[in-house]
Amino acid sequence: MKIPSLLDLEIEQQAVIHLPFHGSHVITGSPGGGKTVMAVYRAWAMATAGRDVVLVTRSNLLCQYLAQLAPDLTEAFDITTYHRWVRTFWRARFSTGPPKTDEGGWSYDWIEMQRDCLLKNVRSAAHLVIDEGQNLPVGFYQLCRVLGVGVTVFADENQRIGDDQSTMSEIRGALAVRADPLVLRRNRRNSREIAMLASEFHKEARDEVPLPERVGRTPTLLKVPSLGHLLKGVSQYFTAHPGRSIGIICRSTRLLLDIQSSLTHLGLAKHTQAYVHDDRHRDTVDFSRRRIRIVSTASMKGLEFDSVFVPDLDAYTEDPTSVEARLRFFVLCTRACEDLHFAHLGPQEPAILSNVPESLLVRHTG
């Protein structure tokens, strides 16, 4: 992804830059609206003005992506994950880890934390800029308000996938933000064809966001005889489009590792990298090189690739009418800028795609 220059920002994006540097603010918009770009610019503007600002997100992979997106801008401020910020902040104030409600240590006792901060009059002059803010729990935003921390939140509640997430209304209520959110309406990422397919999984998106003007190829659904057959096609695609970034998005870590191994055997090791959380050999991604990136659906939010391959449609067996299943596909589709390819091995295409018309999804048998 190439970040636009300050002079190339559009009017709705410039409005984010011009928000007051005090208080809390909420910005929303569908995928492709430029929320991540503007999160970087918002943090940069505040840091340039001398504010103590930190850019925060939940995903470690997105944290890496933000740090590499525009090094000349991001060197002016800290970028960290939500968990690192919470734990570092708490240890600096209380000389211990934050209280938790689970043995694994990933769920915090927000009520106890608020009480401790109020009793000891703990405050902070920091300002947090949060990307993908729908991924953070309401308790975190309530704690920020208790601390007096200013927060600029970039969020899209239509990308809430999984537990412990927040709606726009909950975020605004927790931060006591009365103003309506700023909305980044124009889809700057996807081709028109990809955006049209994505809207099949989120009907409201058709009315909320105008379709992109940029046209491209219609997304494809491939019935392939084997994973090896598909990956040979990926290899050929890479050779034909050497300048494009390719994202291979998998549901399971096992498949992710199998794909990395297969691409290595196809001679693409130096072009391929895989991300697996808590795997010291695969927990870092260099977004400036190795154009083929293999990631999980759990890590895909906030990222984008020129071309996306989804190799495991047979794994999507949940109820195709469920909100979570449809939102997952909405997010999945909108990771792709130029090309989008789904693949399945079974005799029947997955139910979630079976009602998508041929005009939006071209079927091929490999």
Side-chain angles (χ1 to χ4, degrees), residues 233-308:
V234 172
S235 177
Q236 294 168 355
Y237 184 95
F238 174 77
T239 301
H241 304 88
R244 288 189 177 180
S245 62
I246 296 176
I248 303 176
I249 303 177
C250 311
R251 291 202 76 170
S252 75
T253 300
R254 178 181 292 276
L255 178 61
L256 185 152
L257 297 176
D258 287 345
I259 289 175
Q260 183 184 33
S261 176
S262 296
L263 291 177
T264 296
H265 289 140
L266 289 171
L268 295 175
K270 67 179 181 179
H271 303 294
T272 302
Q273 52 189 336
Y275 176 80
V276 179
H277 182 63
D278 283 344
D279 180 336
R280 64 186 181 90
H281 300 293
R282 298 179 180 85
D283 63 359
T284 302
V285 172
D286 183 349
F287 286 93
S288 66
R289 62 189 185 94
R290 297 193 181 186
R291 309 292 288 180
I292 304 174
R293 295 152 194 158
I294 316 167
V295 302
S296 68
T297 53
S299 300
M300 68 180 174
K301 282 191 287 188
L303 304 179
E304 65 178 52
F305 309 91
D306 293 326
S307 307
V308 165

Side-chain angles (χ1 to χ4, degrees), residues 1-4 34-40 55 57 59-71 74 77 79-81 84 131-132 189 245 273 275 283-288 291 293 295 299-306 334-335 337:
M1 177 181 180
K2 184 178 179 181
I3 193 168
K35 296 185 297 298
T36 294
V37 167
M38 295 317 303
V40 171
L55 180 53
T57 190
S59 161
N60 182 56
L61 184 56
L62 182 56
C63 184
Q64 294 180 43
Y65 179 63
L66 290 169
Q68 298 175 45
L69 184 59
T74 56
F77 51 87
I79 303 176
T80 190
T81 65
R84 287 195 205 108
D131 191 28
E132 300 291 336
R189 175 190 301 151
S245 62
Q273 52 189 336
Y275 176 80
D283 63 359
T284 302
V285 172
D286 183 349
F287 286 93
S288 66
R291 309 292 288 180
R293 295 152 194 158
V295 302
S299 300
M300 68 180 174
K301 282 191 287 188
L303 304 179
E304 65 178 52
F305 309 91
D306 293 326
T334 54
R335 300 310 94 199
C337 300

Side-chain angles (χ1 to χ4, degrees), residues 98-113 164:
K100 310 176 188 70
T101 60
D102 66 332
E103 294 183 1
W106 295 108
S107 295
Y108 305 110
D109 189 333
W110 298 111
I111 301 300
E112 183 176 344
M113 292 170 74
D164 209 17

Side-chain angles (χ1 to χ4, degrees), residues 221-241:
L221 174 60
L222 311 170
K223 182 182 180 302
V224 295
S226 66
L227 178 63
H229 181 91
L230 173 65
L231 295 180
K232 286 181 181 179
V234 172
S235 177
Q236 294 168 355
Y237 184 95
F238 174 77
T239 301
H241 304 88

Side-chain angles (χ1 to χ4, degrees), residues 14-76:
Q14 291 173 2
V16 176
I17 298 283
H18 296 148
L19 285 170
F21 286 172
H22 60 274
S24 293
H25 311 277
V26 178
I27 299 95
T28 189
S30 293
K35 296 185 297 298
T36 294
V37 167
M38 295 317 303
V40 171
Y41 267 117
R42 172 68 171 173
W44 169 82
M46 298 193 74
T48 301
R51 292 296 307 273
D52 177 13
V53 60
V54 182
L55 180 53
V56 177
T57 190
R58 183 158 191 160
S59 161
N60 182 56
L61 184 56
L62 182 56
C63 184
Q64 294 180 43
Y65 179 63
L66 290 169
Q68 298 175 45
L69 184 59
D72 53 333
L73 298 177
T74 56
E75 66 182 8

